[in-house]
Amino acid sequence: MPELLRVERLSAGYGEAVVLEDIDFSLPAGESLALLGRNGTGKTTLIDTLVGVTRRHAGRIVLRGQDITALPPYRRAAAGIGWVPQERNVFKSLTVEENLTAVARPGPWDMKRVFAMFPRLDKLRALRVVTGMRGEQQMLAVARALVLNPSLLLLDEPLEGLAPILVEELLRSIARVVSDEGLSAVIVEQNPRAVLGITQHAVVLDRGRIVHRAPSGALLADAATLERLLAVGA
């Protein structure tokens, strides 16, 4: 498969503080990466750096052969990056449908397709987003990223804080997007077994550096390594 994303010797952080150091990895088109690590190891900072909202100290980022290192976030979105941050960042003053139409770009992921992917949102399309709709907000955040029609989807802990039934529902949808539909993604998730089951590649961060990389299936089957790196019991 042709290469979609390449990150080369990347160091970045916030202001003068360096959080990530010497990050190197690549991702083929049509495949996905599980980004793992304990809390505070730099996972969200790496996602934020790919989006362009941190301070880069060294290295470069190449997407579909284009060096996007110096591009601002809105131009990275135009280049093909779709971002689902931890904070969701949906417009609570707008309806579900208006949240989608406000950002939609031409491409295969249109309103009909995302509502088919998330039937729960289809039922709420005319309603405003409210605080109590936590699971629906997360689905809407993913749907908003999809209607941008990106080539790379960045998901930062998409299952965090959701009820088990909503975790299962959203995970099935994400699995369909990255496995069946072949949209490349970098997925941060505290539940490694959930994300390793739907990705092809995995990297583990510790103290801002990559300390382990492996095929997702191999890491999923390696209980000892999961326990050592992530304190995940068998």
Side-chain angles (χ1 to χ4, degrees), residues 9-187:
R9 302 185 65 83
L10 185 65
S11 295
Y14 305 95
E16 295 301 318
V18 177
V19 178
L20 303 172
E21 293 189 74
D22 204 25
I23 300 293
D24 267 294
F25 69 90
S26 62
L27 183 64
E31 298 187 0
S32 294
L33 174 81
L35 181 57
L36 306 174
R38 296 184 177 94
N39 287 334
T41 56
K43 303 184 301 297
T44 292
T45 302
L46 179 50
I47 294 291
D48 288 350
T49 302
L50 295 176
V51 173
V53 295
T54 63
R55 181 176 180 181
R56 181 185 59 87
H57 294 273
R60 69 178 191 140
I61 303 166
V62 179
L63 180 69
R64 293 193 299 184
Q66 177 186 2
D67 190 333
I68 64 169
T69 310
L71 296 185
Y74 75 93
R75 290 189 61 190
R76 296 188 191 202
I81 286 182
W83 179 35
V84 182
Q86 279 183 299
E87 299 81 11
R88 299 178 177 89
N89 289 356
V90 297
F91 300 127
K92 296 181 181 179
S93 62
L94 302 181
T95 67
V96 167
E97 186 166 358
E98 288 168 343
N99 263 275
L100 299 174
T101 57
V103 300
R105 296 169 60 89
W109 286 100
D110 56 14
M111 301 282 287
K112 180 178 179 181
R113 193 173 181 190
V114 295
F115 281 137
M117 176 72 70
F118 299 106
R120 190 183 293 265
L121 293 182
D122 192 14
K123 296 176 182 178
L124 302 172
R125 63 195 298 168
L127 300 180
R128 288 188 179 181
V129 181
V130 297
T131 303
M133 298 163 56
R134 188 161 189 172
E136 289 80 1
Q137 283 187 28
Q138 189 63 291
M139 292 177 187
L140 180 56
V142 176
R144 275 167 47 91
L146 288 174
V147 297
L148 286 169
N149 282 284
S151 56
L152 176 65
L153 192 61
L154 306 177
L155 298 162
D156 194 354
E157 299 200 22
L159 308 179
E160 182 184 27
L162 301 185
I165 189 170
L166 291 174
V167 167
E168 293 179 10
E169 186 175 338
L170 185 56
L171 186 61
R172 283 197 301 270
S173 296
I174 294 171
R176 179 178 166 189
V177 169
V178 301
S179 299
D180 300 343
E181 305 290 345
L183 178 60
S184 293
V186 177
I187 309 174

